[in-house]
Amino acid sequence: MPTSLSIVGGGRLGTGLGRLWAARGSLRVQDVLCRSLDAAHRAVDRIGAGRAVAGYEDLRRADLFLIATPDGAIAASAARLVAGGCVDESSTVFHCSGAESSELLEAARRRGAATASAHPLMTFSELPMSAGAFAGTYCAIEGDPRARGLLGRLFEQIGATVVASSTEHKLLYHAAAVFASNYVVALLQAAVETHELLGIPPQVSREMIAPLVRRSVDTALAAGPRAAMTGPIVRGDAALVQRQFTALLASEPRIAGLYRALAVHTARVAQVPSPFPPADD
């Protein structure tokens, strides 16, 4: 098991994981590199361990490197680690992007390092800073076997449930996460905006739909989406669905288009005939 961890990038993800591993005693946080030395000092303060550094030339060799930069900077960061002589055959380099695979770390892999990506399936803006809050979080890992085994053990030590991901299909993995988070939120906003057409304030709308949303989500997660299906599509009332679409089209065409697309998809999930002709699918 490696002992030293250096982190490139001082956002909530990098500092949160560094803090969790340091508190658990799994790793010794060594160097923390951010866009500025002041930012690196703030990151070290949040982690509670490590040395703030100003540039790649100040990084020392470490057993494990976490590149916690924005996705667009991951490949360049890996290349700079290699150019600085920080990694070799004994190193492991990983990132935590949800959409990008370990292929972005090709420069480190060519140098002999074990490479992987590990994505905690949670909202990074609210990444827990304690092991108790992190416990049970699912973490998808892909990459070479040596890196996968190591990271699996490290994430399990801070309470994660580890699942295997696919290098080839990493984008599909992330698309599923987008459906389950951002798109759910966007659909709730569509409901609120539809209420606003009637003069119902957003806060009141959110209070109105909260019990319905919670019951629907809880049932879908516990028994499956088909068991949670209710409403006119499941009842086969295509005429009502079409009338609702027409009413939305007259009031807010943007939401009407979303309503029709979801009606078609809902019919597929419920395994009932679509309320709209196949040509409109």
Side-chain angles (χ1 to χ4, degrees):
M1 180 71 71
T3 59
S4 58
L5 166 70
S6 287
I7 302 171
V8 178
R12 191 165 179 83
L13 170 61
T15 58
L17 290 176
R19 181 182 178 90
L20 291 174
W21 279 318
R24 174 65 172 72
S26 302
L27 294 168
R28 173 177 55 83
V29 178
Q30 180 171 276
D31 297 328
V32 179
L33 171 63
C34 300
R35 291 183 178 180
S36 70
L37 188 57
D38 285 344
H41 280 297
R42 290 193 295 272
V44 166
D45 288 342
R46 289 194 296 271
I47 294 169
R51 179 186 71 133
V53 299
Y56 284 88
E57 66 278 5
D58 298 317
L59 288 171
R60 297 166 289 179
R61 285 176 179 254
D63 299 316
L64 190 65
F65 284 93
L66 165 57
I67 299 179
T69 65
D71 290 4
I74 291 173
S77 295
R80 295 192 69 177
L81 288 177
V82 171
C86 293
V87 299
D88 56 25
E89 295 84 354
S90 66
S91 307
T92 298
V93 181
F94 75 105
H95 67 74
C96 290
S97 167
E100 301 293 345
S101 75
S102 57
E103 291 177 342
L104 288 183
L105 305 173
E106 177 63 16
R109 189 194 66 79
R110 288 199 306 267
R111 184 64 182 81
T115 58
S117 72
H119 180 252
L121 193 58
M122 66 189 312
T123 303
F124 289 159
S125 63
E126 299 178 354
L127 187 72
M129 299 297 279
S130 69
F134 192 77
T137 298
Y138 277 83
C139 183
I141 299 178
E142 62 79 30
D144 70 54
R146 177 160 60 102
R148 290 202 314 269
L150 167 62
L151 291 171
R153 292 189 294 274
L154 286 170
F155 274 95
E156 286 173 349
Q157 286 178 4
I158 55 175
T161 299
V162 174
V163 297
S165 185
S166 164
T167 301
E168 180 182 2
H169 298 300
K170 190 71 183 289
L171 286 172
L172 297 181
Y173 159 81
H174 193 252
V178 171
F179 272 117
S181 56
N182 293 339
Y183 288 174
V184 169
V185 174
L187 287 177
L188 295 180
Q189 179 61 20
V192 171
E193 290 178 10
T194 302
H195 272 156
E196 285 188 277
L197 297 173
L198 313 177
I200 297 174
Q203 179 59 39
V204 175
S205 175
R206 290 193 291 270
E207 292 172 0
M208 289 171 61
I209 66 176
L212 181 63
V213 171
R214 293 192 177 102
R215 283 196 296 270
S216 297
V217 171
D218 288 346
T219 302
L221 293 177
R226 287 186 63 195
M229 287 288 181
T230 62
I233 291 177
V234 176
R235 295 194 300 269
D237 194 346
L240 176 56
V241 174
Q242 292 163 3
R243 287 169 56 210
Q244 289 175 339
F245 168 70
T246 300
L248 282 168
L249 193 62
S251 299
E252 182 50 79
R254 175 179 51 82
I255 295 179
L258 177 63
Y259 180 89
R260 185 168 74 170
L262 288 169
V264 173
H265 181 65
T266 299
R268 287 177 180 155
V269 174
Q271 298 181 352
V272 298
S274 171
F276 294 100
D280 293 334
D281 193 335

